[in-house]
Amino acid sequence: MYYAIRVQGHLSPSWQERLGGLRIEQEETGTTLLSGMLPDQAALHGVLLQIIRLGLTLLSLETSETGDNL
Amino acid sequence: MARASLHALTWSEEQRLYELYTRGQLKLRFRPGEESAWLDWLNEATSFAFHGKDGSLNVYLEKRPRGGAYWYAYHTGKSRTHKRYLGRTENLSPAHLEETARSLSDEQQPAPATELGTALLSSRLAPPRLPNALVERERLLTALDEALSTRLSLLSASAGWGKTTLLSAWAQRHQGQVAWLSLNELDNSPTRFWVALIAALRRCPALTSSIGESVVTQLQSPQPPPLLSCLSVLLQELERGSPHPAPIVLILDDYQVIEEPNIHQSLAFWIEHLPAHLRLVLSTRVDPDLPLARLRARGELTEIRMDELRFDQEEASQYLSQLLSPVLSPEEVRRLVNRTEGWIAGLHLVALALQKREDRAAYLEALTGSQRYLLDYVQEDILAYLPESVRTFLLHSAILSRLDASVCQAVTASPTAAASQQMLTLLERANLFLVPLDEERRCYRLHDLFREALLSALYTSQPEMVPLLHRRAACFYEAEGEWAEAIAHWFETRDFSAATRLMERTVEQFWVRGEAATIANWVLKLPEPLLREHARLTLTTALHLLHTATQATRAQRESVHRQVRQLIARVAMALRRESDEHPAIDAGAGTLALSEDLEARVAERDVLHRRMRLLSMYMTFFGALASGDRERLDSMQQEIEEELDQDEEAIWQIVPLTYSFLLHFSTWQTGATLLPRLLAAKERLSHRASPFVSLKVRQFLAFVALEAGKLRLASQESQAALDLIEQARGDVLLKDYFEVALAHVWYQWNRLEEARGALHTVMHDASTWQHLDLLGFGYLGLLQIALATANWPLAEFALDGMEQMVQRERFATYPGRLPILRAQWWLARGQIEEASEWAAHVVFPQGTWEASLYHAFPVVIRVYFAEQRWTEAAELLDNSRKRLDRPANVRITITYLAQSLVALHQAGQRDQARAVAARLFALTEPEGYLRVYLDEGEPMRQALLAFLPPHSQQHKLASSTTAYISKLLAAFEQEQRDPGRSLVAAPTALSPDRQASVLPSAPDASLTRREQEVLRLLATGASNQDIARTLVIELPTVKKHVSNLLGKLGASSRTQAVSRARALSLL
């Protein structure tokens, strides 16, 4: 499953390893987009827990089968 | 309870000699080398405790079935008992004992002095030290003070909002009334969680340090009572405490790490029943799965959330001024508060980044204008400015959840612990998010957010170091005996074989402490090939998991069963994959030339398949037993028979043995058939089984011995087991099964006050822990005693209790028994019509008999006796001979023969009566049965009289039989003179009207070792000063012990305490 997760603020790409390997892009709107494939819900759960641990503000979460429509 | 070792041989260092005590009285003293008196004494003894120069032992004489007796030494360490052969009596010199004690103590050495993380636990039981830069946040401290008006307070906000610091500051102001626990991920098993929570309560100065002692023992036993019963006991203990001027506040920090639903449920129960003087404060990053809405609606919840925790301008300015010099301007502070939104972790980071800046104004400008995630300043703006050595130390230590000099030395490969300590001190002074956890500043933890930033930096800059660092940590904790920490780090290295190696080695220690769940969580994380390799571990874990759920509620049992099925499924899958890859394995047995390796594999697969079958049977079996599904149970017989004696491992042998016992003993009433098998099992297992397994076998053996009419054997086994349990300070509920067995023996021996004493203990424990099985045994036993002694209030109490239990719990084992018990009551009260009405409706079919019919039969016969329908009784007895007169249940046979004797004698069939009597005497005389005769009353007395002159001249009886009959007749006479005799004389006797109310809630008289010593001295009339001198303790301590004793015994004076203690057999 493909996930796109948006959080408040600009996050350094160096967090990739600690955030399920998702790609990290800083956006002009002052937000960061985490995107990529995750194998299952457990992996997503892990990413969300890490976002909570880091005290990041979660703005949105979208999913699609392939990532084409996102 | 206090069944203190009867005899003790103790080395006295001052006197330089050995002293032998019996029940605390000095009996013998001798010097090493002058041992003849000692050896004489040994000839009489069967067990004693030895306290030598370098260690202690429990020493037992064990009889061999084929004659001969040998001494064995037991040494109990932290978690396991070692056994050592000592030899014959003449070898038992003190020197030999000393040597054995020494060598067994040495063997204990490698096993560390910590009990599964208790060393690490203690640093979690106090609030962390306050940080160097601290702002006294009065508004929040006041808010917390006010929060104490509600039973639950919740501090809920994500990381870095200052929750822990706030709570620490508050706790420091209220030191006397706070209990603190910092939770971690390993606390995700109900046992670990509650044991840690109780440890926290014990640290609270306002509570006694022994609080929850029995609850911890029960929680950590292999078959614990339901969790909620344990919590009820704990809550009752807390209720009982002396009145508290200020509420006691239990603070649980980092509750977000708890994910186990059973813990949430149990905590919700705890909150619901919290005593009035107790408050709970939770700090968490996510709202916990507790009924918050309900508590909120009832006004029982106070919440302090992110908005309240934000640092305002004033607080931020105070805070920053402690870290930065020169101080920032108010405008700069305002912009920083805006940028960080009052997030204290952010302010802290910014301050650290600013410290080293020359161009502060420009830097601040850039910072406040940027959208950058504040934690990202750590790497470039904080770490980059640190010396290389400090940076590396920080990055490498970040893999640890707790830091101290020695573990840091191991993980960072630093030359000395002192160097690591220096580094830690330096980091703390530099405010680098290092939180000291203890007064001495030895143990620290990194603030989680900062630790996350460090880990991220570590994973990007030195990914190759990560497994190595975890490996170092794992090795360190392994050497320290912190198994759980070590295994967790092994998992991080992805070196699963090291993790499983350690699990294999330490798994028993988790099992004996009721932590099968912890191991199960790990096992489920293993990749498949390893799971196959450690399939035995996986399945045995599942078995232990099932054991923990035997007394659990339906919901808990189902959740355990789910987990067990998961474990079975994983093993099954691994086995399937193996046979896919090596088709030869399945074809296996048929082919001619199997390689040795293949043969071994096939055999191993058989073992695993059998164990999986046993686990599935376990779940089916107890399901059928709980719902009383007789058909299903009967159909399992074949399966069970096939599994018996198959497995070589003790813990697995016990599984089919348990089914077999339950079926034969309860369902089919054929317990005696198991006697040879259990005697063999006991012999086979005695040397290599865990205490749990060998006690379980003994428990079955004791009950089966009763069914086989072997009272002496039942008594011996029970006494021996009770001694063992006492030595190991073991499980009270397991102990109570042996008390039940003893009560049965004593009942038959007509030692009714002792029987009642044993049942009294059983009832107390069973009602404390809501143990239905034991409660049932207790009521049944008490009812028999009550009827035998015409103690009507006690009989009513037992009947009512039984009825309520059956109604409330819909307990499948007893409903069929109730009408029978009522009929017994009518008979005893002379309400023959009611009893007769009941008997008329009991049908004894040609086909299978339900277990309850076997219980009904003798009562129906007694109804006939009461109506003097002797011939009918004799006919009914004769018709049922095949069912009742059989070796599969000698207990039933004996009653059958006794009643036949009465019926035949009274019906005038004297010759047949004589033949029956000969068999009856042969069975009962050697075992000393009395009550089986007494319970039949006057008709039996008349039947017995016929055997003695002048009625019987032509038939010569053996002189021992004549003596036995005389003894029986004497017992009849005594009973007729004074039916209530046994109980009236008993020290525990209470006035009849108080009996019912007092019995179930007897005082909790589990005494500590010290209290027992004090009690013994009190009994000699010693004053407080005497006691203080004798035990070499302070006077106030003596006073404390005495007042605890009075409390526990429910006594108002010292004399009363002593007499209560005597009544409870504590003295």
Side-chain angles (χ1 to χ4, degrees):
Chain A
M1 194 63 114
Y2 186 90
Y3 292 91
I5 301 168
R6 197 162 272 112
V7 296
Q8 182 74 55
H10 279 162
L11 198 60
S12 152
S14 65
W15 287 97
Q16 187 167 7
E17 178 68 20
R18 305 288 290 161
L19 282 164
L22 295 177
R23 190 168 61 252
I24 296 178
E25 291 166 86
Q26 300 180 348
E27 299 175 313
E28 282 179 11
T29 44
T31 54
T32 302
L33 179 70
L34 314 172
S35 61
M37 302 292 286
L38 290 173
D40 53 20
Q41 287 287 306
L44 173 65
H45 190 65
V47 171
L48 292 177
L49 281 181
Q50 179 69 347
I51 287 174
I52 291 169
R53 261 202 294 280
L54 294 176
L56 291 165
T57 308
L58 180 67
L59 297 175
S60 71
L61 189 153
E62 286 168 80
T63 64
S64 78
E65 282 301 330
T66 57
D68 293 346
N69 347 333
L70 289 177
Chain B
M1 263 181 231
R3 189 181 296 270
S5 182
L6 191 56
H7 312 288
L9 183 67
T10 307
W11 170 251
S12 160
E13 193 57 44
E14 307 96 75
Q15 318 264 356
R16 310 293 302 167
L17 43 72
Y18 287 100
E19 297 176 330
L20 176 69
Y21 292 90
T22 296
R23 293 194 190 280
Q25 306 276 339
L26 183 62
K27 292 283 172 197
L28 194 68
R29 10 169 56 171
F30 60 91
R31 294 190 187 284
E34 304 164 4
E35 288 145 11
S36 59
W38 161 246
L39 290 172
D40 284 348
W41 179 82
L42 266 183
N43 282 320
E44 305 291 310
T46 55
S47 74
F48 61 93
F50 175 71
H51 306 292
K53 296 170 188 167
D54 305 311
S56 293
L57 297 171
N58 290 308
V59 188
Y60 296 93
L61 185 65
E62 298 191 357
K63 292 204 173 67
R64 293 277 166 83
R66 284 188 216 91
Y70 300 89
W71 290 91
Y72 285 87
Y74 289 82
H75 178 96
T76 305
K78 285 286 169 196
S79 57
R80 69 166 69 201
T81 301
H82 290 271
K83 184 177 180 179
R84 193 57 79 71
Y85 173 75
L86 291 171
R88 290 183 180 279
T89 301
E90 54 268 30
N91 294 336
L92 226 57
S93 67
H96 185 31
L97 291 170
E98 289 289 3
E99 195 189 301
T100 312
R102 204 161 32 240
S103 76
L104 284 175
S105 309
D106 287 347
E107 267 176 35
Q108 291 293 309
Q109 290 307 323
T114 56
E115 288 182 28
L116 290 180
T118 41
L120 292 185
L121 178 60
S122 86
S123 70
R124 304 200 275 128
L125 299 181
R129 302 297 110 204
L130 291 169
N132 302 330
L134 177 72
V135 179
E136 300 273 341
R137 308 180 74 190
E138 280 308 328
R139 63 184 173 97
L140 289 171
L141 292 168
T142 314
L144 270 176
D145 286 339
E146 286 164 4
L148 294 190
S149 62
T150 59
R151 58 174 85 192
L152 176 64
S153 306
L154 188 67
L155 269 78
S156 189
S158 51
W161 287 97
K163 299 183 293 295
T164 305
T165 306
L166 173 62
L167 287 175
S168 306
W170 187 86
Q172 205 173 47
R173 290 187 180 189
H174 301 82
Q175 274 175 10
Q177 58 183 109
V178 169
W180 180 285
L181 174 61
S182 307
L183 294 162
N184 69 27
E185 282 80 4
L186 289 172
D187 291 325
N188 266 304
S189 97
T191 305
R192 263 185 110 94
F193 176 86
W194 284 101
V195 167
L197 189 144
I198 290 169
L201 289 174
R202 286 186 184 171
R203 281 283 188 92
C204 176
L207 294 169
T208 54
S209 59
S210 63
I211 205 144
E213 214 165 6
S214 59
V215 180
V216 171
T217 316
Q218 284 306 320
L219 281 172
Q220 296 185 332
S221 66
Q223 295 188 329
L227 183 55
L228 297 191
S229 302
C230 293
L231 297 188
S232 303
V233 174
L234 180 61
L235 286 165
Q236 280 164 21
E237 267 184 57
L238 288 164
E239 287 280 8
R240 266 206 300 274
S242 46
H244 298 275
I248 292 165
V249 184
L250 171 63
I251 301 179
L252 300 181
D253 197 17
D254 281 334
Y255 190 74
Q256 76 279 347
V257 299
I258 300 300
E259 291 171 351
E260 164 62 45
N262 277 330
I263 298 180
H264 295 313
Q265 279 165 23
S266 57
L267 193 66
F269 171 87
W270 163 267
I271 293 168
E272 193 66 27
H273 298 91
L274 213 54
H277 61 277
L278 223 79
R279 298 285 182 274
L280 180 64
V281 178
L282 293 184
S283 104
T284 176
R285 289 182 205 162
V286 292
D287 280 10
D289 184 12
L290 295 170
L292 296 181
R294 195 168 75 215
L295 289 164
R296 214 177 270 137
R298 292 198 304 218
E300 287 169 348
L301 171 67
T302 308
E303 290 164 278
I304 297 180
R305 309 187 74 96
M306 199 169 78
D307 269 337
E308 284 96 23
L309 289 166
R310 269 181 221 291
F311 270 58
D312 61 23
Q313 170 102 14
E314 172 59 32
E315 289 167 331
S317 155
Q318 260 191 54
Y319 178 73
L320 292 169
S321 69
Q322 295 177 47
L323 292 175
L324 292 172
S325 136
V327 294
L328 299 174
S329 73
E331 174 55 18
E332 286 170 321
V333 173
R334 192 190 61 77
R335 283 165 60 192
L336 274 183
V337 171
N338 262 346
R339 170 71 168 92
T340 58
E341 299 179 60
W343 188 38
I344 179 62
L347 286 167
H348 186 166
L349 286 166
V350 171
L352 286 180
L354 275 173
Q355 274 175 346
K356 309 269 162 141
R357 294 282 168 174
E358 316 241 314
D359 53 343
R360 251 174 43 171
Y363 185 75
L364 262 179
E365 191 70 33
L367 183 119
T368 47
S370 152
Q371 300 282 0
R372 204 167 154 205
Y373 177 44
L374 284 163
L375 209 49
D376 284 342
Y377 287 88
V378 168
Q379 201 160 344
E380 284 160 46
D381 299 58
I382 299 175
L383 288 183
Y385 285 81
L386 294 174
E388 167 74 32
S389 61
V390 178
R391 193 165 58 231
T392 312
F393 183 89
L394 262 177
L395 286 180
H396 290 181
S397 312
I399 63 143
L400 297 165
S401 52
R402 286 280 183 284
L403 291 75
D404 62 43
S406 40
V407 68
C408 286
Q409 185 201 356
V411 167
T412 61
S414 119
T416 62
S420 290
Q421 183 61 53
Q422 231 171 359
M423 196 63 95
L424 288 167
T425 314
L426 182 146
L427 290 171
E428 191 205 338
R429 286 216 194 97
N431 298 305
L432 279 165
F433 287 95
L434 198 63
V435 188
L437 297 175
D438 52 359
E439 219 48 88
E440 302 82 21
R441 294 182 142 63
R442 272 196 227 116
C443 188
Y444 298 83
R445 72 167 198 213
L446 279 166
H447 192 285
D448 268 358
L449 271 177
F450 190 62
R451 191 175 159 214
E452 286 300 338
L454 291 173
L455 283 174
S456 166
L458 176 69
Y459 276 84
T460 5
S461 63
Q462 317 172 20
E464 74 289 349
M465 281 300 286
V466 176
L468 176 63
L469 296 170
H470 279 294
R471 173 178 299 272
R472 289 175 183 163
C475 291
F476 174 84
Y477 283 125
E478 194 172 326
E480 292 286 300
E482 298 285 355
W483 314 127
E485 310 285 330
I487 293 168
H489 278 289
W490 279 124
F491 267 96
E492 291 291 334
T493 65
R494 318 289 295 171
D495 182 349
F496 296 111
S497 59
T500 40
R501 173 188 49 74
L502 186 57
M503 274 155 68
E504 291 274 9
R505 193 153 68 78
T506 58
V507 73
E508 292 223 5
Q509 317 206 18
F510 286 90
W511 289 333
V512 297
R513 308 190 71 82
E515 290 195 31
T518 309
I519 291 280
N521 286 336
W522 281 324
V523 166
L524 284 172
K525 282 196 212 161
L526 290 176
E528 192 159 285
L530 267 157
L531 197 97
R532 167 65 193 85
E533 203 179 311
H534 298 275
R536 279 177 183 239
L537 175 75
T538 309
L539 295 179
T540 309
T541 301
L543 178 59
H544 282 281
L545 215 50
L546 281 176
H547 280 320
T548 63
T550 39
Q551 295 293 327
T553 58
R554 182 180 290 265
Q556 279 168 348
R557 194 167 52 234
E558 274 163 12
S559 108
V560 166
H561 283 196
R562 252 197 311 281
Q563 217 178 354
V564 167
R565 286 201 194 93
Q566 230 178 331
L567 289 165
I568 298 177
R570 296 259 350 238
V571 173
M573 194 166 26
L575 288 177
R576 255 201 314 281
R577 184 130 333 156
E578 189 184 48
S579 61
D580 287 348
E581 284 163 18
H582 310 275
I585 287 182
D586 267 349
T591 47
L592 283 175
L594 280 178
S595 74
E596 248 174 61
D597 171 53
L598 201 56
E599 218 170 309
R601 269 218 237 181
V602 171
E604 172 67 9
R605 288 171 68 88
D606 284 347
V607 171
L608 296 174
H609 280 297
R610 183 168 65 244
R611 290 184 183 178
M612 288 194 281
R613 270 201 311 278
L614 283 173
L615 290 171
S616 306
M617 269 167 77
Y618 195 114
M619 293 183 276
T620 321
F621 185 84
F622 282 97
L625 205 62
S627 58
D629 187 347
R630 174 74 191 255
E631 230 171 281
R632 184 87 194 82
L633 288 174
D634 284 349
S635 72
M636 289 181 81
Q637 179 189 14
Q638 184 66 25
E639 258 179 284
I640 290 168
E641 287 293 325
E642 278 168 21
E643 301 295 351
L644 280 168
D645 305 329
Q646 290 280 337
D647 212 292
E648 70 282 17
E649 265 182 57
I651 185 81
W652 286 96
Q653 283 182 16
I654 195 90
V655 179
L657 214 50
T658 305
Y659 307 147
S660 195
F661 170 75
L662 289 171
L663 281 181
H664 282 283
F665 179 78
S666 326
T667 312
W668 301 328
Q669 298 286 311
T670 51
T673 51
L674 287 178
L675 190 63
R677 175 166 270 144
L678 284 166
L679 282 170
K682 182 193 147 194
E683 186 63 19
R684 195 170 59 235
L685 296 176
S686 66
H687 299 289
R688 51 199 184 94
S690 67
F692 171 67
V693 169
S694 47
L695 284 171
K696 222 49 199 169
V697 171
R698 274 211 154 102
Q699 178 198 328
F700 298 157
L701 186 53
F703 279 86
V704 157
L706 290 171
E707 299 295 87
K710 301 207 174 295
L711 299 182
R712 295 189 197 283
L713 178 64
S715 158
Q716 268 165 28
E717 288 301 326
S718 304
Q719 296 280 14
L722 286 173
D723 280 349
L724 272 179
I725 294 172
E726 177 60 36
Q727 308 291 352
R729 295 159 142 260
D731 184 352
V732 289
L733 294 175
L734 189 52
K735 184 198 70 144
D736 284 341
Y737 278 100
F738 295 103
E739 300 277 7
V740 168
L742 272 183
H744 277 105
V745 174
W746 280 326
Y747 179 82
Q748 279 306 337
W749 289 345
N750 204 24
R751 286 158 64 177
L752 299 184
E753 64 266 44
E754 282 153 292
R756 171 144 174 215
L759 291 172
H760 183 104
T761 314
V762 171
M763 291 296 295
H764 171 256
D765 296 338
S767 53
T768 302
W769 303 104
Q770 279 305 300
H771 195 293
L772 300 181
D773 199 24
L774 285 169
L775 216 49
F777 275 124
Y779 285 131
L780 278 179
L782 282 177
L783 181 63
Q784 301 313 323
I785 295 172
L787 295 179
T789 52
N791 183 341
W792 311 128
L794 180 63
E796 270 177 331
F797 159 76
L799 259 181
D800 287 353
M802 193 68 151
E803 243 163 82
Q804 278 170 24
M805 191 178 84
V806 169
Q807 269 170 17
R808 198 177 50 229
E809 313 289 346
R810 286 190 275 147
F811 203 46
T813 325
Y814 291 111
R817 294 290 286 277
L818 266 179
I820 309 172
L821 301 176
R822 267 186 228 115
Q824 280 187 281
W825 157 260
W826 287 323
L827 271 178
R829 298 293 302 247
Q831 295 166 263
I832 309 298
E833 227 168 280
E834 285 93 336
S836 177
E837 167 83 15
W838 163 80
H841 287 92
V842 182
V843 182
F844 297 102
Q846 291 302 313
T848 342
W849 280 20
E850 288 289 327
S852 61
L853 280 180
Y854 289 98
H855 299 293
F857 189 88
V859 185
V860 169
I861 294 292
R862 238 173 260 166
V863 173
Y864 284 22
F865 288 175
E867 295 169 326
Q868 309 209 348
R869 293 153 66 187
W870 310 112
T871 322
E872 279 170 83
E875 273 166 20
L876 181 54
L877 280 159
D878 191 48
N879 287 341
S880 312
R881 186 170 54 81
K882 276 198 190 127
R883 287 181 197 291
L884 302 176
D885 186 2
R886 53 186 185 149
N889 196 317
V890 181
R891 173 180 59 79
I892 292 178
T893 305
I894 289 176
T895 308
Y896 169 80
L897 292 174
Q899 294 195 326
S900 295
L901 167 61
V902 172
L904 293 168
H905 172 86
Q906 301 289 354
Q909 305 174 26
R910 298 294 154 93
D911 286 341
Q912 281 149 295
R914 210 168 282 285
V916 165
R919 286 189 57 210
L920 179 62
F921 294 148
L923 287 171
T924 52
E925 187 207 321
E927 299 291 336
Y929 277 89
L930 294 177
R931 283 240 60 103
V932 74
Y933 296 92
L934 295 174
D935 286 346
E936 301 303 332
E938 179 60 19
M940 173 63 91
R941 195 181 73 88
Q942 293 168 1
L944 289 175
L945 270 176
F947 292 96
L948 292 187
H951 311 280
S952 160
Q953 265 120 12
Q954 63 273 50
H955 296 277
K956 284 234 170 73
L957 287 169
S959 66
S960 67
T961 309
T962 320
Y964 180 48
I965 296 171
S966 306
K967 188 176 166 195
L968 285 170
L969 289 168
F972 268 108
E973 236 167 79
Q974 196 174 20
E975 182 131 309
Q976 275 164 353
R977 257 201 323 273
D978 190 2
R981 161 196 56 87
S982 310
L983 283 181
V984 176
T988 39
L990 304 159
S991 65
D993 53 330
R994 284 190 53 215
Q995 228 137 29
S997 59
V998 170
L999 240 171
S1001 57
D1004 176 14
S1006 45
L1007 302 184
T1008 64
R1009 197 154 278 188
R1010 196 51 123 185
E1011 283 163 1
Q1012 288 169 26
E1013 288 169 349
V1014 172
L1015 178 61
R1016 251 174 254 137
L1017 290 166
L1018 274 186
T1020 66
S1023 70
N1024 283 354
Q1025 274 89 354
D1026 296 336
I1027 298 174
R1029 251 197 315 278
T1030 315
L1031 298 178
V1032 202
I1033 51 180
E1034 299 289 329
L1035 201 52
T1037 318
V1038 176
K1039 286 182 183 157
K1040 198 189 80 200
H1041 285 309
V1042 172
S1043 96
N1044 285 350
L1045 266 173
L1046 294 187
K1048 284 187 180 180
L1049 293 164
S1052 54
S1053 69
R1054 298 152 73 97
T1055 4
Q1056 201 188 359
V1058 171
S1059 68
R1060 292 284 291 136
R1062 289 226 168 88
L1064 292 166
S1065 325
L1066 292 172
L1067 264 173

